[in-house]
Amino acid sequence: MSDQQLKKVYESASYKALRKLQMPPVLGAREPIDEVLSEDPELEGLNTSKLVFIDISQRVPLKKRTIVVREPNGTLRKASWEERDVTLQKYFPQSGRKIGLPRMFQQDNLECMLDDGKHEYILNRACSQFEIDDPEYIRVTQRTYEHIHSNGKFEDLRSTRHFGPMIFYFTYYKKIDKLLVAFLEEESLEDSVDLVKLYHIVHPSCKSAEKVASMPDPTPLEIIGAFAEMDATQKSLVQQAIQTYEKECDSTDSTQLRR
C-alpha cells in the first residue's frame, strides 16, 4: 500500500469514527401536526379508506417532504408524524429502522433489557429507530438515563457518544450529585469541576453560581464546595466525597515527599 493509499484509508476510517462518535443532539418533543388543508364534502364516500400522497422528488430532505392525507369524508390534511414515519420508511427506507414500534422498546421488554445492563445497545438502537425529537425516542433515552442514575452505572456509557447527552440530562433536571460523587471517587477533579460549571451554565441563577461569580479566583474545590453547600440535593453525600478526595490527595502528597 502506497503512502497516498494509506492516507485515504486513514481519512476514511477517521470520518467513519467521527460519525459513530457524534453525540445525538438533545431536543424537545416535536409538536403534533394537525393542519387541515381543505374540506371537500363532495368527495365524501368515494373511498372507504384514507389515501396518502407523498412528494417523491429527488434531493428533497425527508423532513421537508410534503405528505398529505385524504380522509374518506373528503378532508385533505397534512399527515401526522406517525403517518409520515411510516410513509417515509416505505419510500425511503433507512437502515436499522423498522415500521412500527419494535418490541424491545415496549415498556416491559425495555425494563428487562435495562436490568441486563444493555444501556448502550438500547441507546444505539433508539438512534436508529427514531427521530431525535420523537416522543418515543425521548421516553426511551430518558428512562435509560434514569436507570443508569438509580444504579450508579455511569461507566456503562463512558467513552460512548451517549455520555454527553446523559450528563446534559442530569444537569438540566438537577440530578448531578451521584455523578459528581463518582467523578470525585475516581479522583477526576477536572471532570468534577467541569460538571459543576455546566450546571452553572444551565442554571445561571442558582445560589452556587452566584457565589462562585463573586469569588475573585476560585479553585476547583471551592467551586465544587459551593455547589455542595448551596445546591446539592444530597448535600452530605457530596461533601463526604469532597473530604475523601482531599484526604486521598494529602496521602498521595505525603507519600511522594517521603520518596
Side-chain angles (χ1 to χ4, degrees), residues 73-193:
N73 65 2
T75 300
L76 182 67
R77 59 173 176 80
K78 288 187 176 181
S80 67
W81 285 114
E82 292 75 16
E83 292 165 334
R84 288 185 62 86
D85 290 342
V86 171
T87 306
L88 287 171
Q89 185 61 16
K90 287 182 177 180
Y91 282 90
F92 306 95
Q94 297 186 58
S95 177
R97 183 168 296 188
K98 297 181 179 180
I99 294 176
L101 183 70
R103 288 188 296 174
M104 65 169 286
F105 294 122
Q106 295 173 0
Q107 197 59 42
D108 291 344
N109 296 332
L110 179 62
E111 292 298 328
C112 290
M113 295 186 68
L114 289 171
D115 291 338
D116 288 341
K118 297 181 179 179
H119 302 107
E120 183 182 3
Y121 175 75
I122 292 170
L123 294 173
N124 283 335
R125 282 287 291 112
C127 287
S128 298
Q129 178 63 32
F130 307 111
E131 295 297 323
I132 55 177
D133 58 355
D134 189 327
E136 283 297 307
Y137 174 83
I138 295 172
R139 174 184 68 85
V140 170
T141 54
Q142 291 190 354
R143 177 64 196 114
T144 303
Y145 299 152
E146 288 292 345
H147 189 273
I148 290 173
H149 184 267
S150 299
N151 295 276
K153 297 288 186 177
F154 306 112
E155 284 301 309
D156 284 4
L157 296 188
R158 176 80 82 166
S159 300
T160 74
R161 60 180 176 151
H162 305 292
F163 197 64
M166 179 186 70
I167 289 178
F168 181 82
Y169 172 81
F170 293 151
T171 304
Y172 185 81
Y173 288 101
K174 301 182 178 182
K175 295 182 176 183
I176 69 169
D177 297 48
K178 286 186 177 182
L179 181 59
L180 179 58
V181 169
F183 284 158
L184 289 170
E185 288 176 348
E186 297 168 2
E187 298 184 16
S188 180
L189 184 61
E190 183 178 357
D191 288 341
S192 301
V193 74

